[in-house]
Amino acid sequence: MPASLLTRRSIVAIHGIGAHPDDSWCKNVGTKDMPRWVNWLVEENMLPELAPNARIMRYGYQSHWFGEAVMRQRTSTVAQRLLSALKRERKALLDARAHEDDWPGIFISTTGLIFFGTPFRGAGGMSQAEMLAAARSEYHDDNIQPEILRILEPEDEFLQDLVDQFGKTRRNANKTRVACFYKLKSSNVGRIVGGKDRTRFVVSESSGCLDLSDETSKHSLSRTHFNMNKFGSPTEEDFEIVGDAAQSTVEAAHGLVLARRRIVFSLSGVSKTEQFVAREEELVQIDQVLRSGNGCQTVTLHGLGGIGKTQLAIAYAVRHRADFSAIFWFNIKDRDSVKRSFARAARRIATNCLSSGLGGLDEEKDLDKVVEAVKRWLDQATNTRWLMVFDNYDNPKLSGVTNPTAVDLHRFLPEAYHGSVLIATRLAAVKLGLQIPIQKLDNLADSVQILSSSSGRAITAQDAGAAALAKELDGLPLALATAGAYLSKVATSIKDYLRLYKASWLRLLQKSPGLESYEDRALYTTWQLSLDHIKQRNELSARLLELWAYFDNQDLWFELLKGCSDAPEWLSQLTEDELEFTDAIRLNGVYSDMQQDATNLF
């Protein structure tokens, strides 16, 4: 019962040796003269009702071993043809596990198996010799194919090996659910071939049931071997028994596939702060997009350096780690960093998913091959519930901007239309998926909470000094955490810190302890990085921003600066043309918290 998370669950019904592909699942609820056939696989109030939205398929193959339609084939041949059919459907079992590269995704997405009278330890009733003798009494040897019957012999080595190999798969975690059904009535085995009646048990309970385990069950049906998989009504007691097993198997499918693909959650190497205050509105926005609908969903967080984008992404990953089968963190500040992040992802996949094929990669020799291998793993049709977080995407490749060091994020995204991507960047110009601007904290209590947790002091919003400092730092998380780090190392009062800050903020920040949660970034280096990016693109924009630092946070407009007397040459050049001025202003807006209103005030 392969379950594809890309589309929906699939159920494949496979008939037995010598059975008709269509008749196997049909029961005549009419009369011999006026038959009315019910196929419980397609009858709306039967299996489709128990497995809503499932794709129910029947696999038919030529299984005659005698007569004019005889096929000369082995059981392994039938299995290979079945796997090929499943692959064509974009979706047995042991071959798929042993040859994962040839049959990708089939073993890992098979979550349930239901067996009707399957002779795991051989069939009784008639021996192979008896069946062959009966067949030869009516058909020429050219119309008899005995090879496929050998697997029914109780002592057959191939059959025993097949069962043993399947048993080994039951040792794994998140094992496939198995339900075995055996019959309580004897069957007229003489009807298989020849006209002589022989009423016997074809497959005993011991042969028709695998050893019980926590995910293997057995059930009896008041039927013969030849009608145990034929049902005419949803109210038949035997169908209700089968229906319960089928329904529970279907309901468990999604969770099993997710668990098998799950990579142990880790944020090793990612700097997490203990001072994060919950941005509930933004967390809800992110989740509504990343876990809604089909296809690949993307969210871009953009805002000032130190505004809390990385910590918000971490908070989302931690909160929703159970909702994704794998979460990978990529530092995309430059090409080398992101490739190294892919190498770490490859090691995690290889450790947690042995069949991934990523264990033999030589990351020191060719990181590009590692990147492509991880992308192929993420592309797999049954691997859809992953989350990729790209942090520090502050030097992106943008249209119309020439920068040889710029990073093209699209080169590192899988091709498949599934999965989730979360991006953190300073640039509003990165327009991928839903853009969520991360603003300064507007709740005074949140700002004071950061001061309290980072300083180790019991501070509340009712503390006048703390409230004044929080307002002075204007809701910028990095500035608040930096102030708290300083206060945690000295006995200075908050009131005295605020006085020192106003007197010489730069010297104070340079003497503040480093923040592990912000790697090597202090407040001034964070802003310097943004300024450097602006200078690379437009020197006049950078000059304007440096001038602007001397103004209060009030409106600024073109006419205010155009009429300046004795203006420096760069400012005169900037204000010669309003379009040039507007372009310079907008570039600053890309890297800062500056906003433009409807009247062109900035």
mmCIF file of all heavy atoms in Angstrom, residues 302-305 307 426 428 437-440 474 534 541 544-545 548 552-557 581-597 600-602:
data_model
loop_
_atom_site.group_PDB
_atom_site.id
_atom_site.type_symbol
_atom_site.label_atom_id
_atom_site.label_comp_id
_atom_site.label_asym_id
_atom_site.label_seq_id
_atom_site.Cartn_x
_atom_site.Cartn_y
_atom_site.Cartn_z
ATOM 1 N N HIS A 302 12.475 39.714 5.979
ATOM 2 C CA HIS A 302 13.468 40.756 5.694
ATOM 3 C C HIS A 302 13.349 41.882 6.722
ATOM 4 O O HIS A 302 12.272 42.175 7.236
ATOM 5 C CB HIS A 302 13.304 41.301 4.265
ATOM 6 C CG HIS A 302 12.006 42.044 4.024
ATOM 7 N ND1 HIS A 302 11.865 43.388 4.263
ATOM 8 C CD2 HIS A 302 10.807 41.607 3.568
ATOM 9 C CE1 HIS A 302 10.629 43.762 3.946
ATOM 10 N NE2 HIS A 302 9.962 42.701 3.532
ATOM 11 N N GLY A 303 14.488 42.482 7.022
ATOM 12 C CA GLY A 303 14.518 43.568 7.998
ATOM 13 C C GLY A 303 15.941 43.920 8.357
ATOM 14 O O GLY A 303 16.906 43.310 7.885
ATOM 15 N N LEU A 304 16.088 44.909 9.210
ATOM 16 C CA LEU A 304 17.394 45.395 9.661
ATOM 17 C C LEU A 304 18.263 44.276 10.235
ATOM 18 O O LEU A 304 17.747 43.306 10.771
ATOM 19 C CB LEU A 304 17.217 46.446 10.749
ATOM 20 C CG LEU A 304 16.871 47.875 10.350
ATOM 21 C CD1 LEU A 304 16.535 48.657 11.607
ATOM 22 C CD2 LEU A 304 18.035 48.520 9.625
ATOM 23 N N GLY A 305 19.567 44.444 10.138
ATOM 24 C CA GLY A 305 20.468 43.552 10.846
ATOM 25 C C GLY A 305 20.246 43.695 12.339
ATOM 26 O O GLY A 305 20.171 44.817 12.860
ATOM 27 N N ILE A 307 17.541 42.713 13.887
ATOM 28 C CA ILE A 307 16.120 42.911 14.196
ATOM 29 C C ILE A 307 15.478 41.639 14.722
ATOM 30 O O ILE A 307 14.384 41.667 15.288
ATOM 31 C CB ILE A 307 15.364 43.418 12.942
ATOM 32 C CG1 ILE A 307 14.070 44.140 13.337
ATOM 33 C CG2 ILE A 307 15.064 42.282 11.996
ATOM 34 C CD1 ILE A 307 14.277 45.463 14.000
ATOM 35 N N ARG A 426 18.414 40.845 4.820
ATOM 36 C CA ARG A 426 18.238 42.263 5.150
ATOM 37 C C ARG A 426 17.518 43.007 4.031
ATOM 38 O O ARG A 426 17.062 44.126 4.234
ATOM 39 C CB ARG A 426 19.596 42.922 5.370
ATOM 40 C CG ARG A 426 20.398 42.324 6.493
ATOM 41 C CD ARG A 426 21.795 42.901 6.502
ATOM 42 N NE ARG A 426 22.606 42.218 7.502
ATOM 43 C CZ ARG A 426 23.386 42.830 8.386
ATOM 44 N NH1 ARG A 426 23.471 44.132 8.380
ATOM 45 N NH2 ARG A 426 24.080 42.140 9.254
ATOM 46 N N ALA A 428 14.802 43.963 1.263
ATOM 47 C CA ALA A 428 13.417 43.858 0.827
ATOM 48 C C ALA A 428 13.336 43.507 -0.654
ATOM 49 O O ALA A 428 12.282 43.098 -1.150
ATOM 50 C CB ALA A 428 12.688 45.174 1.089
ATOM 51 N N PRO A 437 7.946 41.560 6.467
ATOM 52 C CA PRO A 437 8.893 42.528 7.032
ATOM 53 C C PRO A 437 8.968 42.367 8.547
ATOM 54 O O PRO A 437 7.944 42.311 9.225
ATOM 55 C CB PRO A 437 8.288 43.881 6.639
ATOM 56 C CG PRO A 437 6.823 43.613 6.462
ATOM 57 C CD PRO A 437 6.703 42.198 5.982
ATOM 58 N N ILE A 438 10.179 42.254 9.070
ATOM 59 C CA ILE A 438 10.367 42.117 10.515
ATOM 60 C C ILE A 438 10.694 43.497 11.078
ATOM 61 O O ILE A 438 11.748 44.066 10.788
ATOM 62 C CB ILE A 438 11.482 41.104 10.839
ATOM 63 C CG1 ILE A 438 11.214 39.779 10.114
ATOM 64 C CG2 ILE A 438 11.570 40.887 12.333
ATOM 65 C CD1 ILE A 438 9.857 39.173 10.411
ATOM 66 N N GLN A 439 9.781 44.027 11.835
ATOM 67 C CA GLN A 439 9.896 45.387 12.354
ATOM 68 C C GLN A 439 10.468 45.387 13.769
ATOM 69 O O GLN A 439 10.613 44.336 14.405
ATOM 70 C CB GLN A 439 8.507 46.056 12.364
ATOM 71 C CG GLN A 439 7.753 45.976 11.047
ATOM 72 C CD GLN A 439 8.335 46.878 9.982
ATOM 73 O OE1 GLN A 439 9.298 47.608 10.220
ATOM 74 N NE2 GLN A 439 7.760 46.816 8.785
ATOM 75 N N LYS A 440 10.776 46.577 14.230
ATOM 76 C CA LYS A 440 11.215 46.734 15.613
ATOM 77 C C LYS A 440 10.087 46.328 16.559
ATOM 78 O O LYS A 440 8.917 46.346 16.190
ATOM 79 C CB LYS A 440 11.607 48.196 15.869
ATOM 80 C CG LYS A 440 12.815 48.659 15.083
ATOM 81 C CD LYS A 440 13.111 50.123 15.325
ATOM 82 C CE LYS A 440 12.021 51.015 14.743
ATOM 83 N NZ LYS A 440 12.372 52.466 14.841
ATOM 84 N N ASP A 474 14.835 51.730 21.153
ATOM 85 C CA ASP A 474 13.868 51.773 20.052
ATOM 86 C C ASP A 474 13.434 50.392 19.549
ATOM 87 O O ASP A 474 13.211 50.206 18.345
ATOM 88 C CB ASP A 474 14.453 52.581 18.890
ATOM 89 C CG ASP A 474 13.359 53.117 17.967
ATOM 90 O OD1 ASP A 474 12.199 53.205 18.414
ATOM 91 O OD2 ASP A 474 13.657 53.411 16.794
ATOM 92 N N ILE A 534 25.656 48.975 0.842
ATOM 93 C CA ILE A 534 25.123 50.156 0.168
ATOM 94 C C ILE A 534 26.226 50.858 -0.624
ATOM 95 O O ILE A 534 26.035 51.273 -1.772
ATOM 96 C CB ILE A 534 24.475 51.110 1.188
ATOM 97 C CG1 ILE A 534 23.236 50.451 1.808
ATOM 98 C CG2 ILE A 534 24.103 52.439 0.533
ATOM 99 C CD1 ILE A 534 22.632 51.216 2.963
ATOM 100 N N SER A 541 24.299 57.044 -2.004
ATOM 101 C CA SER A 541 23.337 56.530 -1.015
ATOM 102 C C SER A 541 24.001 56.377 0.342
ATOM 103 O O SER A 541 23.419 56.721 1.384
ATOM 104 C CB SER A 541 22.780 55.178 -1.469
ATOM 105 O OG SER A 541 21.969 55.324 -2.609
ATOM 106 N N LEU A 544 24.571 59.771 1.924
ATOM 107 C CA LEU A 544 23.326 60.318 2.440
ATOM 108 C C LEU A 544 22.954 59.665 3.768
ATOM 109 O O LEU A 544 22.497 60.325 4.702
ATOM 110 C CB LEU A 544 22.207 60.108 1.412
ATOM 111 C CG LEU A 544 20.823 60.631 1.817
ATOM 112 C CD1 LEU A 544 20.854 62.145 2.047
ATOM 113 C CD2 LEU A 544 19.787 60.294 0.736
ATOM 114 N N LEU A 545 23.164 58.348 3.862
ATOM 115 C CA LEU A 545 22.835 57.646 5.094
ATOM 116 C C LEU A 545 23.715 58.125 6.248
ATOM 117 O O LEU A 545 23.257 58.281 7.388
ATOM 118 C CB LEU A 545 22.996 56.135 4.889
ATOM 119 C CG LEU A 545 22.435 55.234 5.997
ATOM 120 C CD1 LEU A 545 20.940 55.464 6.179
ATOM 121 C CD2 LEU A 545 22.702 53.764 5.670
ATOM 122 N N TRP A 548 22.413 61.381 7.296
ATOM 123 C CA TRP A 548 21.121 61.197 7.955
ATOM 124 C C TRP A 548 21.279 60.808 9.424
ATOM 125 O O TRP A 548 20.395 61.035 10.251
ATOM 126 C CB TRP A 548 20.364 60.110 7.204
ATOM 127 C CG TRP A 548 18.875 60.210 7.292
ATOM 128 C CD1 TRP A 548 18.136 60.964 8.153
ATOM 129 C CD2 TRP A 548 17.951 59.516 6.469
ATOM 130 N NE1 TRP A 548 16.799 60.781 7.925
ATOM 131 C CE2 TRP A 548 16.654 59.895 6.897
ATOM 132 C CE3 TRP A 548 18.069 58.616 5.420
ATOM 133 C CZ2 TRP A 548 15.491 59.402 6.294
ATOM 134 C CZ3 TRP A 548 16.926 58.126 4.833
ATOM 135 C CH2 TRP A 548 15.646 58.510 5.262
ATOM 136 N N ASP A 552 17.291 63.748 13.594
ATOM 137 C CA ASP A 552 16.333 63.007 14.409
ATOM 138 C C ASP A 552 15.515 62.118 13.462
ATOM 139 O O ASP A 552 15.552 62.306 12.243
ATOM 140 C CB ASP A 552 15.421 64.001 15.150
ATOM 141 C CG ASP A 552 14.600 63.316 16.233
ATOM 142 O OD1 ASP A 552 14.891 62.142 16.525
ATOM 143 O OD2 ASP A 552 13.671 63.951 16.753
ATOM 144 N N ASN A 553 14.782 61.168 14.026
ATOM 145 C CA ASN A 553 14.032 60.260 13.155
ATOM 146 C C ASN A 553 12.710 60.893 12.712
ATOM 147 O O ASN A 553 11.627 60.392 12.978
ATOM 148 C CB ASN A 553 13.773 58.919 13.857
ATOM 149 C CG ASN A 553 13.009 59.090 15.159
ATOM 150 O OD1 ASN A 553 12.953 60.167 15.711
ATOM 151 N ND2 ASN A 553 12.418 57.985 15.633
ATOM 152 N N GLN A 554 12.855 62.018 12.019
ATOM 153 C CA GLN A 554 11.710 62.722 11.455
ATOM 154 C C GLN A 554 11.795 62.662 9.926
ATOM 155 O O GLN A 554 12.707 62.068 9.353
ATOM 156 C CB GLN A 554 11.691 64.183 11.947
ATOM 157 C CG GLN A 554 11.632 64.324 13.463
ATOM 158 C CD GLN A 554 10.404 63.681 14.076
ATOM 159 O OE1 GLN A 554 9.312 63.791 13.534
ATOM 160 N NE2 GLN A 554 10.583 62.990 15.202
ATOM 161 N N ASP A 555 10.818 63.314 9.256
ATOM 162 C CA ASP A 555 10.736 63.222 7.803
ATOM 163 C C ASP A 555 11.917 63.912 7.117
ATOM 164 O O ASP A 555 12.478 64.897 7.607
ATOM 165 C CB ASP A 555 9.434 63.870 7.310
ATOM 166 C CG ASP A 555 8.209 63.099 7.786
ATOM 167 O OD1 ASP A 555 8.371 61.904 8.110
ATOM 168 O OD2 ASP A 555 7.114 63.679 7.832
ATOM 169 N N LEU A 556 12.263 63.363 5.932
ATOM 170 C CA LEU A 556 13.314 63.933 5.083
ATOM 171 C C LEU A 556 12.770 63.930 3.659
ATOM 172 O O LEU A 556 12.188 62.931 3.233
ATOM 173 C CB LEU A 556 14.583 63.073 5.171
ATOM 174 C CG LEU A 556 15.779 63.529 4.342
ATOM 175 C CD1 LEU A 556 16.327 64.839 4.876
ATOM 176 C CD2 LEU A 556 16.864 62.449 4.365
ATOM 177 N N TRP A 557 12.966 65.028 2.920
ATOM 178 C CA TRP A 557 12.438 65.077 1.559
ATOM 179 C C TRP A 557 13.382 65.855 0.657
ATOM 180 O O TRP A 557 14.312 66.537 1.107
ATOM 181 C CB TRP A 557 11.018 65.663 1.535
ATOM 182 C CG TRP A 557 10.895 67.077 2.062
ATOM 183 C CD1 TRP A 557 10.853 68.222 1.347
ATOM 184 C CD2 TRP A 557 10.803 67.472 3.434
ATOM 185 N NE1 TRP A 557 10.746 69.322 2.159
ATOM 186 C CE2 TRP A 557 10.698 68.872 3.452
ATOM 187 C CE3 TRP A 557 10.787 66.765 4.655
ATOM 188 C CZ2 TRP A 557 10.594 69.598 4.642
ATOM 189 C CZ3 TRP A 557 10.668 67.496 5.811
ATOM 190 C CH2 TRP A 557 10.571 68.897 5.812
ATOM 191 N N PHE A 581 17.991 61.367 -6.630
ATOM 192 C CA PHE A 581 17.795 61.425 -5.187
ATOM 193 C C PHE A 581 16.876 60.281 -4.722
ATOM 194 O O PHE A 581 17.156 59.594 -3.729
ATOM 195 C CB PHE A 581 17.185 62.783 -4.817
ATOM 196 C CG PHE A 581 16.802 62.907 -3.360
ATOM 197 C CD1 PHE A 581 17.763 63.195 -2.396
ATOM 198 C CD2 PHE A 581 15.478 62.731 -2.957
ATOM 199 C CE1 PHE A 581 17.418 63.304 -1.059
ATOM 200 C CE2 PHE A 581 15.128 62.850 -1.627
ATOM 201 C CZ PHE A 581 16.096 63.134 -0.678
ATOM 202 N N THR A 582 15.773 60.068 -5.457
ATOM 203 C CA THR A 582 14.818 59.025 -5.082
ATOM 204 C C THR A 582 15.452 57.635 -5.153
ATOM 205 O O THR A 582 15.232 56.785 -4.289
ATOM 206 C CB THR A 582 13.578 59.081 -5.996
ATOM 207 O OG1 THR A 582 12.977 60.384 -5.883
ATOM 208 C CG2 THR A 582 12.557 58.022 -5.593
ATOM 209 N N ASP A 583 16.287 57.404 -6.187
ATOM 210 C CA ASP A 583 16.959 56.105 -6.302
ATOM 211 C C ASP A 583 17.888 55.862 -5.121
ATOM 212 O O ASP A 583 17.972 54.745 -4.588
ATOM 213 C CB ASP A 583 17.760 56.038 -7.606
ATOM 214 C CG ASP A 583 16.870 55.769 -8.815
ATOM 215 O OD1 ASP A 583 15.722 55.338 -8.601
ATOM 216 O OD2 ASP A 583 17.320 55.971 -9.945
ATOM 217 N N ALA A 584 18.623 56.920 -4.719
ATOM 218 C CA ALA A 584 19.543 56.786 -3.586
ATOM 219 C C ALA A 584 18.780 56.486 -2.300
ATOM 220 O O ALA A 584 19.188 55.646 -1.483
ATOM 221 C CB ALA A 584 20.363 58.072 -3.425
ATOM 222 N N ILE A 585 17.646 57.162 -2.129
ATOM 223 C CA ILE A 585 16.824 56.943 -0.943
ATOM 224 C C ILE A 585 16.276 55.517 -0.912
ATOM 225 O O ILE A 585 16.290 54.832 0.116
ATOM 226 C CB ILE A 585 15.657 57.955 -0.909
ATOM 227 C CG1 ILE A 585 16.177 59.358 -0.547
ATOM 228 C CG2 ILE A 585 14.590 57.514 0.080
ATOM 229 C CD1 ILE A 585 16.517 59.531 0.914
ATOM 230 N N ARG A 586 15.806 55.051 -2.048
ATOM 231 C CA ARG A 586 15.203 53.715 -2.096
ATOM 232 C C ARG A 586 16.228 52.628 -1.808
ATOM 233 O O ARG A 586 15.906 51.601 -1.204
ATOM 234 C CB ARG A 586 14.547 53.496 -3.459
ATOM 235 C CG ARG A 586 13.220 54.232 -3.586
ATOM 236 C CD ARG A 586 12.596 54.055 -4.946
ATOM 237 N NE ARG A 586 11.308 54.730 -4.995
ATOM 238 C CZ ARG A 586 10.652 55.017 -6.114
ATOM 239 N NH1 ARG A 586 11.172 54.684 -7.280
ATOM 240 N NH2 ARG A 586 9.485 55.625 -6.076
ATOM 241 N N LEU A 587 17.456 52.806 -2.258
ATOM 242 C CA LEU A 587 18.490 51.827 -1.959
ATOM 243 C C LEU A 587 18.725 51.754 -0.455
ATOM 244 O O LEU A 587 18.890 50.664 0.108
ATOM 245 C CB LEU A 587 19.794 52.181 -2.684
ATOM 246 C CG LEU A 587 20.968 51.231 -2.423
ATOM 247 C CD1 LEU A 587 20.615 49.810 -2.832
ATOM 248 C CD2 LEU A 587 22.212 51.717 -3.161
ATOM 249 N N ASN A 588 18.714 52.905 0.202
ATOM 250 C CA ASN A 588 18.851 52.895 1.661
ATOM 251 C C ASN A 588 17.682 52.157 2.316
ATOM 252 O O ASN A 588 17.845 51.465 3.331
ATOM 253 C CB ASN A 588 18.920 54.326 2.199
ATOM 254 C CG ASN A 588 20.272 54.965 1.953
ATOM 255 O OD1 ASN A 588 21.267 54.254 1.827
ATOM 256 N ND2 ASN A 588 20.307 56.283 1.860
ATOM 257 N N GLY A 589 16.506 52.300 1.708
ATOM 258 C CA GLY A 589 15.340 51.617 2.243
ATOM 259 C C GLY A 589 15.444 50.109 2.135
ATOM 260 O O GLY A 589 14.898 49.373 2.957
ATOM 261 N N VAL A 590 16.160 49.622 1.115
ATOM 262 C CA VAL A 590 16.339 48.186 0.932
ATOM 263 C C VAL A 590 17.106 47.597 2.109
ATOM 264 O O VAL A 590 16.850 46.478 2.550
ATOM 265 C CB VAL A 590 17.077 47.895 -0.396
ATOM 266 C CG1 VAL A 590 17.561 46.458 -0.459
ATOM 267 C CG2 VAL A 590 16.158 48.198 -1.578
ATOM 268 N N TYR A 591 18.072 48.352 2.644
ATOM 269 C CA TYR A 591 18.952 47.833 3.699
ATOM 270 C C TYR A 591 18.619 48.377 5.085
ATOM 271 O O TYR A 591 19.325 48.085 6.039
ATOM 272 C CB TYR A 591 20.399 48.202 3.385
ATOM 273 C CG TYR A 591 21.003 47.401 2.263
ATOM 274 C CD1 TYR A 591 20.946 47.857 0.956
ATOM 275 C CD2 TYR A 591 21.614 46.174 2.510
ATOM 276 C CE1 TYR A 591 21.497 47.122 -0.085
ATOM 277 C CE2 TYR A 591 22.167 45.434 1.478
ATOM 278 C CZ TYR A 591 22.109 45.911 0.180
ATOM 279 O OH TYR A 591 22.647 45.181 -0.845
ATOM 280 N N SER A 592 17.590 49.194 5.199
ATOM 281 C CA SER A 592 17.322 49.796 6.502
ATOM 282 C C SER A 592 15.833 49.777 6.794
ATOM 283 O O SER A 592 15.035 49.224 6.039
ATOM 284 C CB SER A 592 17.834 51.250 6.529
ATOM 285 O OG SER A 592 17.035 52.066 5.669
ATOM 286 N N ASP A 593 15.471 50.428 7.891
ATOM 287 C CA ASP A 593 14.080 50.460 8.319
ATOM 288 C C ASP A 593 13.373 51.707 7.819
ATOM 289 O O ASP A 593 12.292 52.034 8.267
ATOM 290 C CB ASP A 593 14.031 50.411 9.855
ATOM 291 C CG ASP A 593 12.656 50.011 10.361
ATOM 292 O OD1 ASP A 593 11.993 49.215 9.670
ATOM 293 O OD2 ASP A 593 12.257 50.503 11.424
ATOM 294 N N MET A 594 13.989 52.407 6.879
ATOM 295 C CA MET A 594 13.401 53.621 6.345
ATOM 296 C C MET A 594 12.197 53.298 5.476
ATOM 297 O O MET A 594 12.186 52.304 4.755
ATOM 298 C CB MET A 594 14.443 54.358 5.503
ATOM 299 C CG MET A 594 13.978 55.698 4.978
ATOM 300 S SD MET A 594 14.828 56.095 3.448
ATOM 301 C CE MET A 594 14.095 54.919 2.345
ATOM 302 N N GLN A 595 11.166 54.112 5.540
ATOM 303 C CA GLN A 595 9.960 53.891 4.763
ATOM 304 C C GLN A 595 9.569 55.175 4.059
ATOM 305 O O GLN A 595 9.872 56.283 4.511
ATOM 306 C CB GLN A 595 8.812 53.415 5.664
ATOM 307 C CG GLN A 595 9.102 52.081 6.335
ATOM 308 C CD GLN A 595 8.021 51.688 7.294
ATOM 309 O OE1 GLN A 595 7.178 52.494 7.661
ATOM 310 N NE2 GLN A 595 8.040 50.428 7.709
ATOM 311 N N GLN A 596 8.867 55.027 2.919
ATOM 312 C CA GLN A 596 8.408 56.171 2.128
ATOM 313 C C GLN A 596 6.894 56.243 2.207
ATOM 314 O O GLN A 596 6.206 55.228 2.091
ATOM 315 C CB GLN A 596 8.847 55.998 0.670
ATOM 316 C CG GLN A 596 8.382 57.123 -0.250
ATOM 317 C CD GLN A 596 8.829 56.890 -1.689
ATOM 318 O OE1 GLN A 596 9.381 55.847 -2.013
ATOM 319 N NE2 GLN A 596 8.593 57.863 -2.545
ATOM 320 N N ASP A 597 6.370 57.444 2.426
ATOM 321 C CA ASP A 597 4.911 57.557 2.476
ATOM 322 C C ASP A 597 4.374 58.083 1.155
ATOM 323 O O ASP A 597 5.110 58.315 0.197
ATOM 324 C CB ASP A 597 4.473 58.433 3.661
ATOM 325 C CG ASP A 597 4.867 59.900 3.499
ATOM 326 O OD1 ASP A 597 5.226 60.299 2.363
ATOM 327 O OD2 ASP A 597 4.805 60.643 4.499
ATOM 328 N N ASN A 600 5.853 61.255 -0.602
ATOM 329 C CA ASN A 600 7.298 61.241 -0.880
ATOM 330 C C ASN A 600 8.122 61.750 0.281
ATOM 331 O O ASN A 600 9.241 62.248 0.090
ATOM 332 C CB ASN A 600 7.634 62.043 -2.144
ATOM 333 C CG ASN A 600 7.908 61.138 -3.326
ATOM 334 O OD1 ASN A 600 7.684 59.931 -3.245
ATOM 335 N ND2 ASN A 600 8.389 61.711 -4.410
ATOM 336 N N LEU A 601 7.597 61.668 1.491
ATOM 337 C CA LEU A 601 8.396 61.953 2.678
ATOM 338 C C LEU A 601 9.031 60.637 3.126
ATOM 339 O O LEU A 601 8.410 59.587 3.080
ATOM 340 C CB LEU A 601 7.525 62.523 3.795
ATOM 341 C CG LEU A 601 6.876 63.886 3.514
ATOM 342 C CD1 LEU A 601 5.976 64.288 4.670
ATOM 343 C CD2 LEU A 601 7.932 64.964 3.269
ATOM 344 N N PHE A 602 10.327 60.729 3.582
ATOM 345 C CA PHE A 602 11.060 59.511 3.941
ATOM 346 C C PHE A 602 11.400 59.534 5.430
ATOM 347 O O PHE A 602 11.636 60.559 6.004
ATOM 348 C CB PHE A 602 12.350 59.410 3.123
ATOM 349 C CG PHE A 602 12.096 59.312 1.635
ATOM 350 C CD1 PHE A 602 12.024 60.457 0.851
ATOM 351 C CD2 PHE A 602 11.912 58.086 1.038
ATOM 352 C CE1 PHE A 602 11.800 60.364 -0.505
ATOM 353 C CE2 PHE A 602 11.696 57.991 -0.332
ATOM 354 C CZ PHE A 602 11.628 59.153 -1.102
#
